[in-house]
Amino acid sequence: MARFVKRSYQSASRDASADRTRTKVLEAGKYLFSRKGIDVTTIAQIAERAGVSQATVYATVKSKLGLLQALMHDAIFGPRFQRAQEKLIGVEDPVEQIALTAHIARAIYEEESSALSLLMKASAFSPELRKSQHAFETLRRDMQRGRIDALFESGRAKTGLDRDTAGTILWMFTGRDVYHKLVHESGWSPDKYQDWLEQTLLATLTDAG
């Protein structure tokens, strides 16, 4: 028993150390990406600011792209997203699932804007940022597919729509560009954006519209 306890303690200690190292590397990368831009920041600079070796940076995030993707994942799928996603648990009505997609979209882009706005401005034309955003868009579309399938299987989809078209419409309306144009450029509140998006999705995709 004593050996088991010792191994468990050592394992927990290693995990905690790895978490602290990851946090230091991500914070260093975020700071430098936000001020210098992704493309001109080097692994050596990230390592120096984090107080670790370059080998540790590579072991932790693999590359600058891996670091950027980790930052985006932590920001996008943070507490706001988790709370919005929890609202879907136990919801069987496919029309209500489509409506709740507006809550999820708001959560994603509010979190992203709060955590990564400086980074995205500094690296707006970075190929690395475009790669990460493309990967996120693919993931986002995959995550929405189940809601579209449920809508069609229940017979509640708007007449005349096919699944592929409905999926594309849902993905397009819940995109980053729409949020940015309405909230950041047009001055809408997140509440107004969410209400508009919910009503738009229901009217465009479901028989409830």
Side-chain angles (χ1 to χ4, degrees):
M1 177 64 71
R3 288 182 180 178
F4 178 77
V5 170
K6 184 176 180 180
R7 287 195 200 100
S8 298
Y9 174 80
Q10 289 173 337
S11 177
S13 179
R14 284 195 298 270
D15 289 345
S17 178
D19 287 343
R20 288 193 297 271
T21 297
R22 181 182 185 275
T23 297
K24 288 194 295 185
V25 170
L26 263 59
E27 287 179 350
K30 180 180 175 181
Y31 178 89
L32 293 168
F33 288 169
S34 298
R35 285 155 180 80
K36 297 167 63 70
I38 294 166
D39 296 341
V40 300
T41 297
T42 67
I43 293 293
Q45 291 167 342
I46 295 167
E48 181 180 4
R49 180 162 186 86
V52 300
S53 68
Q54 293 185 53
T56 297
V57 175
Y58 283 115
T60 303
V61 294
K62 309 301 182 188
S63 64
K64 285 199 298 181
L65 179 60
L67 195 159
L68 177 60
Q69 289 176 338
L71 285 170
M72 291 186 67
H73 182 277
D74 287 1
I76 291 169
F77 299 116
R80 287 188 179 99
F81 172 83
Q82 296 300 330
R83 288 193 294 270
Q85 190 75 7
E86 285 170 3
K87 293 180 181 179
L88 278 172
I89 297 174
V91 175
E92 297 182 359
D93 181 357
V95 173
E96 188 177 353
Q97 290 179 9
I98 294 297
L100 287 172
T101 302
H103 297 240
I104 295 171
R106 172 187 176 172
I108 287 173
Y109 301 123
E110 272 196 302
E111 197 84 48
E112 183 183 75
S113 296
S114 173
L116 299 180
S117 59
L118 289 176
L119 184 156
M120 296 179 80
K121 287 177 183 177
S123 302
F125 301 104
S126 168
E128 300 281 18
L129 181 59
R130 287 198 292 272
K131 286 179 187 177
S132 293
Q133 290 176 332
H134 177 74
F136 167 67
E137 288 301 312
T138 300
L139 174 62
R140 192 168 64 81
R141 192 160 189 165
D142 287 344
M143 291 172 65
Q144 293 176 345
R145 188 168 290 120
R147 277 163 260 165
I148 291 296
D149 288 342
L151 185 66
F152 276 83
E153 288 163 9
S154 69
R156 301 292 306 277
K158 196 172 187 68
T159 302
L161 278 182
D162 59 73
R163 291 194 193 209
D164 286 344
T165 301
T168 298
I169 290 171
L170 180 61
W171 171 75
M172 181 271 294
F173 273 127
T174 57
R176 176 186 289 106
D177 287 346
V178 174
Y179 179 89
H180 183 82
K181 288 182 183 301
L182 295 179
V183 175
H184 294 299
E185 295 184 15
S186 301
W188 283 23
S189 68
D191 283 340
K192 183 175 180 179
Y193 161 81
Q194 180 179 303
D195 290 344
W196 168 84
L197 181 58
E198 180 176 325
Q199 294 306 312
T200 299
L201 294 178
L202 292 175
T204 307
L205 298 174
T206 78
D207 62 5

